[in-house]
Amino acid sequence: MRTALNFAVLLLALGLCESLQRGYVGEEPEPVAEPSKYGSLWPLPQKVQISDVSYKLSSSNFRIVDGKLSYADPSCSLLQDAYRRYFDYIFGLTRKHGPKSGRTGPSELTELQVWITSPDTECDGYPSLASDESCESLSFFNIQLLDLIYYIVFILFPLFLGLETFSQLVYEDEYGVKNVNSSEINDFPRFAHRGILLDSSRHFLPVQVILDNLETMAMNKFNVFHWHIVDDPSFPFMSKTFPQLSQKGAYHPYTHVYTPADVKKVIEFARVRGIRVIPEFDTPGHTQSWGKGDFPCENLLTPCYSGSKPSGTFGPVNPILNSTYDFMKQFFKEISTVFPDAYIHLGGDEVNFSCWKSNPDIQKFMTDHGFGQDFSKLESFYIQNLLDIVTTTNKGYMIWQEVFDNGVKLTPDTLIHVWKGNQQQYQKEMANVTSSGYQTLLSTPWYLNRISYGQDWQEFYKADPQEFNGTETQKKLVIGGEACLWGEYVDATNLSPRLWPRASAVAERLWSAMDVTDLGDAWNRLSPHRCRMVERGVPAEPLFVSYCPREYNGV
Amino acid sequence: MRTALNFAVLLLALGLCESLQRGYVGEEPEPVAEPSKYGSLWPLPQKVQISDVSYKLSSSNFRIVDGKLSYADPSCSLLQDAYRRYFDYIFGLTRKHGPKSGRTGPSELTELQVWITSPDTECDGYPSLASDESCESLSFFNIQLLDLIYYIVFILFPLFLGLETFSQLVYEDEYGVKNVNSSEINDFPRFAHRGILLDSSRHFLPVQVILDNLETMAMNKFNVFHWHIVDDPSFPFMSKTFPQLSQKGAYHPYTHVYTPADVKKVIEFARVRGIRVIPEFDTPGHTQSWGKGDFPCENLLTPCYSGSKPSGTFGPVNPILNSTYDFMKQFFKEISTVFPDAYIHLGGDEVNFSCWKSNPDIQKFMTDHGFGQDFSKLESFYIQNLLDIVTTTNKGYMIWQEVFDNGVKLTPDTLIHVWKGNQQQYQKEMANVTSSGYQTLLSTPWYLNRISYGQDWQEFYKADPQEFNGTETQKKLVIGGEACLWGEYVDATNLSPRLWPRASAVAERLWSAMDVTDLGDAWNRLSPHRCRMVERGVPAEPLFVSYCPREYNGV
């Protein structure tokens, strides 16, 4: 029986001689990483007690089983798949298993009992903002040692979270034996919406890249995949209603598209990991690739003018034609059936007014509607119509902050996505949005595509979505945040190491208690967490000078 | 017969509608990439004429063969291996080959004849600075169409360069048929020393990562692998003479070391690609990991003092003990046999004097030798002794600029490696070094570990090692440069996409003529070059919004 956690092997130890010289890069020295009293738990659970009493795990004997009083449905393959996945994580997918020993010692843990406490096991259901909110009161789970048996109690979707936590408690001793210490953990997420945005328009992301990322999201307890699926450069989403959109708008109509089967695969892969998929179809700006599709440019996009003549280029969606709204009705009707989540992200950001201004038909429309020269009124007119259309599909919507800033009338359950400005500006925006009674989520400080030299994870870690001037009621309207990896400089070649473990810093901010802010302890836990991801096959880049017992070998 | 090159498929085309909105990142718009008249050649050869006359290549019929008058030795497997490698590159390793057609059309190219013009085929030899210099006059190679047969003439080591160039001339038409246009190319490198520095101490780099990088270096015509093999954090080099150095100094004595067999493998893999391997064993600073090995710290490294007592920490190599020099003699004797290249990099950078200052024995030594308080004199004393030791092994040496700056007496063939300061400072340093008659190479503007947001390859591309105030004689002393990827934030998970294609910008600067500086044409060639690397299995990251016909699928 071992009496101390041992993660030190993962970390750089330079105790013997002088501290590390790093004059090449001109930075302040980094403290040598020390084992955290929380081991390698990431994100840190709300309440953790890890005792000194440890128990061995044997791959021959250890089993993850349904608890006696669990509501688990034996026919729910989702559960069995999760058990197998975490068994593999714990014992190593590639490690050889020894012969079955047939007997267990007194200090061996042989079962992890999973108790589903809700009769509605949701085996075929989808995670939702609501189910995640309920998680805050219901997903309480408890890991205790009882007669050499750990048990965990939780409802279905957080099950994955609990298995992840359990797998993070397991560590290897110096003989390679897997150990877990008797622990008590009560956990729930601080925010219900913990997302990652990937951009499959600026560069096409093969489906496998997206699946790999979902797998890693689950390891970090992210629960929303914000799929920025189309944008100016390309339209890889294959629509059944308007197949020309991707036939003309994708980089290539066969090799660079997401077929309906691909989309289903992504959604199902996410679902069984407790992750929601929220697609973004951004209009009226960011739509150049739409103009190549079913409609010629002049029908869906606004023809820009140079003086009195069309210049041959096109601007945002044309908001003055009935055909535009007919198109949107049919298009979003399809989208609402393809994506099961209750929310769709409608974009609405960065509408460039110069093309609208140049167009005489638009000018006339402005005059007729009494908009004067205020083009944000025209934008609002468009968005208002679009929101009405989407509302008829029974979906809620998320929109970028400009839609709110421009005073568009929104339904009360609209989620306002804050992404602009510096710290002072986004904090003011969060205050404005919530004082208007809207729910909001933050991305501004988490644009992970913006790289810089050094340990930028610390800046991501420090940002807090509830840090702004506002009442308790306002703070409660903050439902979470998203780390964004825009695609200008990212594709399959570099997505994973660019995202991980930098996004892990955001994961802990969105999951753990507000006062979990100790950078030193974070470093001590994040270092082994990144090595764990590497060992599970994720090319998560190093935080700093260090090594992992098992380096990445997927190159 | 096609009359135009067609690389356009590789590049982003947004012709139809308004130019790309990229407000997310707040940058100036990028011109849409256009086919270059030089196709996808990278780095650009010295003289290129690509005609409109194209010929088909068939994987069934096409052969790379020894020319009739070639001095090629049929028993030289190096040649046959190169033929096979480039055949695979040209036709795609994973593509299915059609049935052998048995007949060739009139516009088909069936043979690439390789003519080795030197009777010394160097099949078992190593590339060297000398052979590369001779390349400038002898490696002239010529690609012409003659009776439907291309021929190439060159000596052995540049053979790989010529095959690479040929493979870059091949392109796919819209039916997937491989084509090559009748061309005339005369080529030689502008600089003889075109290097990449990798750091295997701050993070251990598995051998496969190093081999993959050598493969990609060859695609970019780099010819020196500067292996910064040990440093403060770890000592992964396994010495036969002092096995304790890696047993104690490596991150792990078995999983994080380079065995003699590993080192041999790296050197041979490099050799058959025309790449030299220059190891760096940096002293007297950057040696913390050395202190853990054969000698206790107090014997090899300087004990630091806090007041009148040893503090328990250790500084640079102890320059006042005879045992230090006995150690270095034996150590570098081994190194000189392990690494066949004529040069060893001895480091000598960033010596921190504070520990030496604190030590009373060192102080006494300084007084005895009349050094006063000028610790650079002590550093020079050490380096001088070291250089004498290395000279007895018949190796030349490279050193970082500080050794020159501190006035150490150097043999005339010493290479001074410039790495410090801003542009003005490094240009002044290059002027100083060359006016003193020393050969030099530049790295300052090419610290590729220093990442920033955006297209930083353009800055690497603009820097020129001969741009400083100096005579023609001085300019000729500039033998090249090295792109450095220091390892603080780099390991197997992110090395390739961080290095490529950013290092490709340096490759062209060091290979092509001085006046090849058109950023637009560079962009037009580098984009398809990066897609070619991706297709060959290299996770080379995107330059900007774009796509490749065959995206990276190695994730």
Side-chain angles (χ1 to χ4, degrees):
Chain A
M1 191 179 300
R2 285 169 43 72
T3 55
L5 295 177
N6 182 357
F7 300 96
V9 286
L10 304 168
L11 305 169
L12 174 68
L14 278 176
L16 258 187
C17 302
E18 188 177 58
S19 73
L20 176 65
Q21 289 175 33
R22 299 185 294 119
Y24 287 121
V25 298
E27 292 194 347
E28 74 282 10
E30 187 64 30
V32 172
E34 300 284 343
S36 163
K37 68 173 171 173
Y38 301 120
S40 63
L41 287 170
W42 193 278
L44 191 66
Q46 301 289 339
K47 286 183 191 167
V48 185
Q49 282 283 350
I50 303 178
S51 81
D52 288 345
V53 184
S54 75
Y55 294 86
K56 290 184 178 60
L57 273 66
S58 145
S59 62
S60 309
N61 300 324
F62 182 73
R63 296 292 177 267
I64 305 175
V65 298
D66 295 324
K68 284 173 196 164
L69 299 178
S70 174
Y71 280 103
D73 175 358
S75 72
C76 178
S77 67
L78 178 149
L79 270 179
Q80 297 303 321
D81 286 350
Y83 296 172
R84 187 171 60 184
R85 188 160 69 248
Y86 277 93
F87 184 89
D88 283 344
Y89 281 161
I90 290 166
F91 291 104
L93 286 160
T94 55
R95 233 72 52 69
K96 282 174 193 154
H97 296 157
K100 194 165 163 57
S101 74
R103 59 197 183 91
T104 61
S107 63
E108 181 171 337
L109 173 68
T110 55
E111 275 189 14
L112 172 68
Q113 293 195 358
V114 176
W115 291 22
I116 308 295
T117 56
S118 160
D120 174 14
T121 58
E122 300 179 52
C123 189
D124 302 314
Y126 289 93
S128 73
L129 187 57
S131 68
D132 243 15
E133 281 176 316
S134 77
C135 169
E136 213 168 323
S137 51
L138 293 181
S139 83
F140 166 95
F141 57 84
N142 201 336
I143 303 180
Q144 287 181 343
L145 194 77
L146 207 70
D147 293 339
L148 309 187
I149 293 173
Y150 268 67
Y151 66 87
I152 303 189
V153 183
F154 28 49
I155 58 163
L156 196 60
F157 281 116
L159 160 67
F160 311 114
L161 307 174
L163 287 175
E164 177 62 38
T165 304
F166 179 82
S167 75
Q168 294 188 359
L169 286 169
V170 177
Y171 59 96
E172 227 174 55
D173 68 18
E174 59 267 59
Y175 303 102
V177 175
K178 304 292 181 181
N179 280 261
V180 65
N181 285 33
S182 175
S183 308
E184 214 170 315
I185 291 178
N186 301 323
D187 205 6
F188 52 87
R190 180 175 163 210
F191 295 110
H193 186 116
R194 306 179 304 280
I196 296 276
L197 177 150
L198 297 185
D199 169 2
S200 59
S201 172
R202 290 178 176 83
H203 287 99
F204 178 76
L205 301 175
V207 169
Q208 190 56 49
V209 173
I210 294 176
L211 301 185
D212 288 348
N213 181 61
L214 289 166
E215 187 90 62
T216 317
M217 283 174 66
M219 297 175 197
N220 289 273
K221 302 187 178 172
F222 278 106
N223 66 351
V224 176
F225 169 39
H226 175 165
W227 194 351
H228 188 87
I229 192 165
V230 300
D231 202 302
D232 284 325
S234 77
F235 197 105
F237 175 76
M238 193 186 285
S239 161
K240 286 179 180 170
T241 320
F242 301 106
Q244 292 94 327
L245 284 168
S246 61
Q247 276 168 14
K248 301 284 173 56
Y251 284 133
H252 189 283
Y254 305 119
T255 61
H256 288 63
V257 293
Y258 302 108
T259 66
D262 290 335
V263 173
K264 265 193 186 147
K265 195 175 182 181
V266 167
I267 293 169
E268 178 63 10
F269 195 92
R271 184 185 77 84
V272 302
R273 284 161 182 80
I275 297 171
R276 303 160 57 199
V277 178
I278 299 183
E280 177 179 352
F281 289 90
D282 191 356
T283 64
H286 290 280
T287 47
Q288 292 296 303
S289 66
W290 301 53
K292 299 175 183 172
D294 195 20
F295 296 81
C297 283
E298 56 265 39
N299 280 344
L300 185 61
L301 303 188
T302 307
C304 314
Y305 277 65
S306 176
S308 61
K309 288 179 183 170
S311 66
T313 63
F314 295 83
V317 166
N318 192 331
I320 68 170
L321 301 180
N322 288 335
S323 58
T324 294
Y325 300 103
D326 292 341
F327 168 86
M328 293 296 170
K329 254 177 220 156
Q330 291 182 71
F331 183 74
F332 279 101
K333 189 176 167 197
E334 177 184 351
I335 297 308
S336 71
T337 60
V338 170
F339 292 92
D341 199 79
Y343 284 85
I344 297 178
H345 202 303
L346 296 175
D349 58 318
E350 298 189 308
V351 184
N352 183 340
F353 294 150
S354 59
C355 181
W356 280 351
K357 279 182 189 165
S358 75
N359 183 304
D361 297 334
I362 301 261
Q363 288 280 4
K364 182 169 183 308
F365 186 90
M366 294 278 291
T367 310
D368 293 350
H369 285 71
F371 293 165
Q373 286 299 308
D374 186 353
F375 283 86
S376 70
K377 284 189 178 151
L378 181 61
E379 182 187 352
S380 296
F381 172 86
Y382 168 78
I383 296 272
Q384 197 62 66
N385 276 295
L386 181 69
L387 296 188
D388 290 347
I389 287 167
V390 173
T391 302
T392 65
T393 68
N394 289 322
K395 294 284 187 185
Y397 37 80
M398 296 171 63
I399 39 92
W400 297 109
Q401 69 179 74
E402 286 97 320
V403 180
F404 166 80
D405 295 344
N406 289 337
V408 177
K409 198 181 72 186
L410 300 164
T411 56
D413 63 340
T414 304
L415 305 183
I416 316 287
H417 197 163
V418 173
W419 70 279
K420 289 176 81 171
N422 57 28
Q423 188 186 39
Q424 197 185 1
Q425 289 165 326
Y426 76 67
Q427 289 181 348
K428 196 175 165 198
E429 179 80 4
M430 299 289 281
N432 288 345
V433 169
T434 52
S435 73
S436 301
Y438 291 109
Q439 289 188 306
T440 184
L441 70 164
L442 181 65
S443 277
T444 309
W446 298 319
Y447 267 38
L448 270 54
N449 50 308
R450 293 209 154 267
I451 52 171
S452 60
Y453 190 63
Q455 297 203 37
D456 57 0
W457 70 270
Q458 298 182 347
E459 294 310 309
F460 307 141
Y461 192 74
K462 285 177 194 163
D464 194 300
Q466 286 180 324
E467 207 170 274
F468 60 84
N469 282 329
T471 61
E472 272 313 294
T473 311
Q474 278 178 268
K475 300 293 171 81
K476 279 189 183 147
L477 290 168
V478 180
I479 61 158
E482 291 184 2
C484 299
L485 195 71
W486 294 101
E488 281 85 354
Y489 301 101
V490 177
D491 72 0
T493 63
N494 62 351
L495 187 143
S496 290
R498 185 147 299 183
L499 191 55
W500 307 105
R502 293 161 77 234
S504 303
V506 183
E508 177 148 306
R509 180 57 49 237
L510 294 174
W511 179 282
S512 306
M514 193 176 189
D515 61 0
V516 177
T517 55
D518 181 340
L519 277 175
D521 189 62
W523 159 261
N524 291 337
R525 288 181 291 109
L526 188 53
S527 297
H529 178 56
R530 116 75 194 177
C531 283
R532 178 168 49 228
M533 287 192 278
V534 167
E535 196 169 338
R536 291 178 182 182
V538 181
E541 68 176 22
L543 294 164
F544 191 56
V545 179
S546 61
Y547 77 103
C548 296
R550 295 176 188 92
E551 301 288 359
Y552 184 65
N553 60 10
V555 286
Chain B
M1 192 179 300
R2 286 169 43 73
T3 56
L5 294 177
N6 182 358
F7 300 97
V9 287
L10 303 169
L11 305 169
L12 174 67
L14 279 176
L16 257 188
C17 302
E18 187 177 59
S19 73
L20 176 65
Q21 290 174 33
R22 300 186 293 119
Y24 288 119
V25 297
E27 291 194 346
E28 73 281 10
E30 186 64 28
V32 172
E34 301 283 343
S36 163
K37 68 173 171 173
Y38 301 120
S40 63
L41 288 171
W42 193 276
L44 191 66
Q46 301 289 338
K47 287 182 189 168
V48 186
Q49 283 282 350
I50 304 179
S51 81
D52 288 344
V53 184
S54 75
Y55 294 86
K56 289 184 178 61
L57 274 65
S58 146
S59 62
S60 308
N61 300 324
F62 183 73
R63 295 292 177 267
I64 305 175
V65 298
D66 295 324
K68 284 172 196 165
L69 300 178
S70 173
Y71 281 104
D73 175 357
S75 73
C76 178
S77 68
L78 178 148
L79 270 178
Q80 298 303 321
D81 286 350
Y83 295 172
R84 187 172 60 185
R85 189 160 68 249
Y86 278 94
F87 184 90
D88 283 343
Y89 281 162
I90 289 166
F91 292 104
L93 287 159
T94 55
R95 234 72 52 69
K96 280 173 192 153
H97 296 156
K100 195 165 164 55
S101 75
R103 59 198 183 91
T104 62
S107 63
E108 181 170 339
L109 173 69
T110 55
E111 274 189 14
L112 172 68
Q113 293 195 359
V114 176
W115 291 22
I116 307 294
T117 56
S118 161
D120 175 13
T121 58
E122 300 180 55
C123 190
D124 302 315
Y126 290 93
S128 73
L129 187 57
S131 66
D132 242 16
E133 281 175 317
S134 76
C135 169
E136 213 167 323
S137 51
L138 294 181
S139 82
F140 166 95
F141 56 84
N142 201 338
I143 304 181
Q144 289 180 342
L145 193 77
L146 207 69
D147 294 337
L148 308 188
I149 292 172
Y150 267 65
Y151 67 87
I152 303 189
V153 183
F154 28 49
I155 57 164
L156 195 61
F157 280 118
L159 159 69
F160 311 115
L161 307 173
L163 287 175
E164 178 61 38
T165 304
F166 180 82
S167 75
Q168 293 188 0
L169 286 169
V170 177
Y171 60 97
E172 225 173 56
D173 68 18
E174 58 267 58
Y175 304 102
V177 175
K178 304 293 180 180
N179 281 260
V180 65
N181 285 34
S182 175
S183 309
E184 213 169 316
I185 291 178
N186 300 323
D187 205 7
F188 52 86
R190 180 175 164 210
F191 294 109
H193 186 117
R194 306 179 305 281
I196 295 275
L197 176 151
L198 296 185
D199 168 2
S200 59
S201 172
R202 289 177 177 83
H203 287 100
F204 178 77
L205 302 175
V207 169
Q208 190 56 50
V209 173
I210 294 175
L211 301 185
D212 288 348
N213 182 61
L214 289 166
E215 188 90 62
T216 318
M217 282 174 66
M219 298 175 198
N220 289 273
K221 302 188 179 171
F222 278 105
N223 67 351
V224 176
F225 169 40
H226 175 164
W227 195 351
H228 188 86
I229 191 165
V230 301
D231 201 304
D232 284 324
S234 76
F235 197 105
F237 175 77
M238 193 186 283
S239 161
K240 285 179 181 172
T241 320
F242 301 106
Q244 293 93 327
L245 284 167
S246 60
Q247 277 168 13
K248 299 283 172 57
Y251 284 134
H252 189 282
Y254 304 119
T255 61
H256 288 64
V257 293
Y258 302 108
T259 66
D262 290 335
V263 173
K264 265 194 185 146
K265 195 174 182 182
V266 167
I267 292 169
E268 178 64 11
F269 195 91
R271 184 185 78 84
V272 301
R273 284 161 182 79
I275 297 171
R276 304 160 57 199
V277 178
I278 299 182
E280 178 180 351
F281 289 91
D282 192 356
T283 64
H286 290 280
T287 47
Q288 291 296 303
S289 66
W290 302 53
K292 299 175 183 172
D294 196 19
F295 297 78
C297 283
E298 56 265 41
N299 281 343
L300 185 60
L301 303 186
T302 307
C304 314
Y305 277 65
S306 177
S308 60
K309 288 180 183 168
S311 67
T313 63
F314 294 84
V317 166
N318 193 332
I320 67 170
L321 302 180
N322 288 335
S323 58
T324 294
Y325 301 103
D326 292 341
F327 169 86
M328 293 296 171
K329 254 175 222 159
Q330 292 182 71
F331 183 75
F332 279 101
K333 189 176 168 196
E334 177 183 352
I335 297 308
S336 71
T337 60
V338 170
F339 292 92
D341 198 79
Y343 285 85
I344 297 177
H345 202 304
L346 296 175
D349 59 316
E350 298 189 306
V351 184
N352 184 342
F353 293 151
S354 59
C355 180
W356 279 352
K357 279 182 191 166
S358 75
N359 183 304
D361 297 333
I362 302 263
Q363 288 280 7
K364 180 169 183 309
F365 186 89
M366 295 278 290
T367 309
D368 292 349
H369 284 70
F371 293 164
Q373 287 298 306
D374 186 353
F375 283 86
S376 70
K377 285 189 176 149
L378 181 61
E379 183 186 354
S380 296
F381 173 86
Y382 168 78
I383 297 273
Q384 197 61 68
N385 276 294
L386 181 68
L387 297 187
D388 291 347
I389 287 168
V390 173
T391 302
T392 65
T393 68
N394 289 322
K395 294 285 186 184
Y397 39 80
M398 297 171 62
I399 39 90
W400 297 108
Q401 70 179 74
E402 286 97 320
V403 180
F404 166 80
D405 295 344
N406 288 338
V408 177
K409 198 180 73 186
L410 300 165
T411 57
D413 64 339
T414 304
L415 304 183
I416 317 287
H417 198 162
V418 174
W419 69 279
K420 289 176 79 170
N422 58 27
Q423 190 185 38
Q424 198 185 1
Q425 289 165 327
Y426 77 68
Q427 289 180 349
K428 196 176 166 199
E429 180 80 4
M430 299 289 281
N432 288 345
V433 168
T434 53
S435 74
S436 300
Y438 291 110
Q439 290 188 307
T440 183
L441 70 164
L442 181 64
S443 277
T444 308
W446 297 319
Y447 267 38
L448 271 55
N449 50 308
R450 292 209 154 267
I451 52 171
S452 59
Y453 191 62
Q455 296 203 37
D456 57 359
W457 70 270
Q458 300 183 345
E459 294 310 310
F460 307 141
Y461 192 73
K462 286 177 195 163
D464 195 298
Q466 285 181 325
E467 207 171 273
F468 59 86
N469 283 328
T471 63
E472 273 314 293
T473 311
Q474 278 178 268
K475 299 293 170 83
K476 280 189 182 144
L477 290 168
V478 179
I479 59 159
E482 291 184 1
C484 300
L485 195 70
W486 294 102
E488 281 84 353
Y489 300 101
V490 176
D491 71 0
T493 62
N494 62 351
L495 186 142
S496 290
R498 185 147 301 182
L499 191 55
W500 308 105
R502 293 161 78 231
S504 302
V506 184
E508 176 148 305
R509 180 58 47 238
L510 293 174
W511 179 280
S512 305
M514 194 177 189
D515 62 0
V516 177
T517 55
D518 180 340
L519 277 175
D521 189 62
W523 159 261
N524 291 337
R525 288 180 292 108
L526 188 52
S527 297
H529 177 57
R530 115 76 194 176
C531 282
R532 178 169 47 230
M533 288 192 277
V534 167
E535 196 170 337
R536 290 177 183 182
V538 181
E541 67 175 23
L543 294 162
F544 190 56
V545 178
S546 63
Y547 77 103
C548 295
R550 296 176 187 90
E551 301 289 359
Y552 184 66
N553 60 10
V555 288

